[in-house]
Amino acid sequence: MEFSGLEKLSLLDFDDNITATLFSAGCNMRCPFCHNSSLVLDPLKAPKIPWSEIMEFLEKRKNVLDAVCVSGGEATLMPDLLDKLADIKSLGYKIKLDTNGSRPEVLKIAVEQGLVDYVAMDIKNSPEKYPLTTGVENINVDAVQESIDFLLRTDLVDYEFRTTIIEEFHTDEDMIKIASWVGGAKRFFLQQYVDRDNCIAHGFHAVEKEKALHWKTILGKEIDEVSLRGYE
């Protein structure tokens, strides 16, 4: 399976690392606020970049780039993801994996084999509101729970949890439940929502900074480091 997008230079995806970002097509969630609708809703029509072309690019950029961020869609759905991560690692790059946590079996192997250096896992909402927030009625929250538990207890990889906060989906009560769900985590980011042209649906509203700071306080009672992302 091939990647469908390549951002050749990013200074935002992986801390201070100069990063290239790869985007896979296809996802097992349908979050209405997702800004990669073309990759999620119609993956078969998404462009395909030959792996040899990506590897050639990464080989040439070894002295410029520090890391590769593997994102989506949901990259853990790729049947050959682990092989591709190994190829990237062979070039000496650090790797960040973005995931919704729905495939803990893939996440565990990637971490235990040393194929990723950092995991950014989305926490869509409180567990009870996952069907609403992901657009999937029968969503397997148990798999998400397994990924959370794994990251909380492993010392093999650094990680963050993150939630894109939206007025129509999140409340104080949700934040209290999320704080309990991932209590003891190293770090958590509350991300500002932006209504982009490529979102699956529109009409949602960003949470004002004052409320985001209030939610930061709620999460901070259970989580070591909580920050806002995207807010000035």
Side-chain angles (χ1 to χ4, degrees):
M1 184 173 176
E2 304 294 359
F3 284 100
S4 296
L6 168 61
E7 184 178 358
K8 294 184 176 181
L9 181 65
S10 172
L11 301 177
L12 301 175
D13 280 324
F14 190 0
D15 296 333
D16 296 327
N17 294 289
I18 302 172
T19 304
T21 302
L22 296 170
F23 297 92
S24 66
C27 188
N28 49 7
M29 297 184 184
R30 294 292 183 271
C31 308
F33 49 88
C34 174
H35 60 260
N36 280 334
S37 62
S38 59
L39 296 179
V40 171
L41 298 180
D42 203 353
L44 294 180
K45 291 185 179 179
K48 299 293 185 286
I49 307 173
W51 185 237
S52 59
E53 183 178 317
I54 292 175
M55 286 296 290
E56 182 179 356
F57 166 77
L58 294 176
E59 175 71 39
K60 290 180 178 178
R61 301 291 283 179
K62 281 197 297 185
N63 295 324
V64 177
L65 298 170
D66 303 313
V68 176
C69 175
V70 178
S71 191
E74 175 54 39
T76 61
L77 296 175
M78 297 179 73
D80 57 348
L81 175 65
L82 297 173
D83 292 336
K84 284 181 164 55
L85 294 178
D87 286 348
I88 297 169
K89 269 292 176 187
S90 73
L91 298 178
Y93 285 105
K94 291 183 282 187
I95 297 177
K96 176 191 175 212
L97 176 65
D98 292 343
T99 182
N100 60 27
S102 62
R103 298 202 70 204
E105 66 278 11
V106 178
L107 174 62
K108 290 176 183 179
I109 294 172
V111 170
E112 290 168 354
Q113 292 186 359
L115 298 177
V116 294
D117 301 276
Y118 193 87
V119 175
M121 179 177 159
D122 293 323
I123 302 296
K124 303 296 184 179
N125 209 328
S126 58
E128 297 87 346
K129 288 175 72 172
Y130 253 64
L132 170 69
T133 313
T134 64
V136 179
E137 185 175 349
N138 61 342
I139 190 75
N140 185 2
V141 181
D142 289 341
V144 177
Q145 177 75 66
E146 189 174 342
S147 292
I148 291 171
D149 291 343
F150 173 71
L151 290 175
L152 288 177
R153 69 173 182 264
T154 187
D155 58 0
L156 297 175
V157 71
D158 201 5
Y159 68 89
E160 68 181 54
F161 295 115
R162 60 193 187 180
T163 298
T164 299
I165 49 176
I166 300 170
E167 281 288 349
E168 286 77 10
F169 289 96
H170 300 100
T171 65
D172 284 15
E173 183 179 359
D174 294 321
M175 293 301 128
I176 293 169
K177 291 179 178 179
I178 290 171
S180 176
W181 201 18
V182 301
K186 288 182 180 179
R187 64 185 63 85
F188 199 108
F189 287 92
L190 292 169
Q191 301 183 150
Q192 185 180 44
Y193 166 71
V194 178
D195 190 351
R196 303 187 189 279
D197 291 342
N198 201 32
C199 286
I200 289 178
H202 301 278
F204 306 117
H205 298 86
V207 172
E208 294 293 332
K209 186 175 182 179
E210 182 178 359
K211 183 183 286 188
L213 288 170
H214 172 57
W215 289 351
K216 176 178 181 288
T217 300
I218 291 174
L219 291 167
K221 295 176 181 179
E222 302 285 349
I223 299 166
D224 292 343
E225 177 186 331
V226 183
S227 303
L228 303 187
R229 179 177 282 154
Y231 289 87
E232 295 296 332

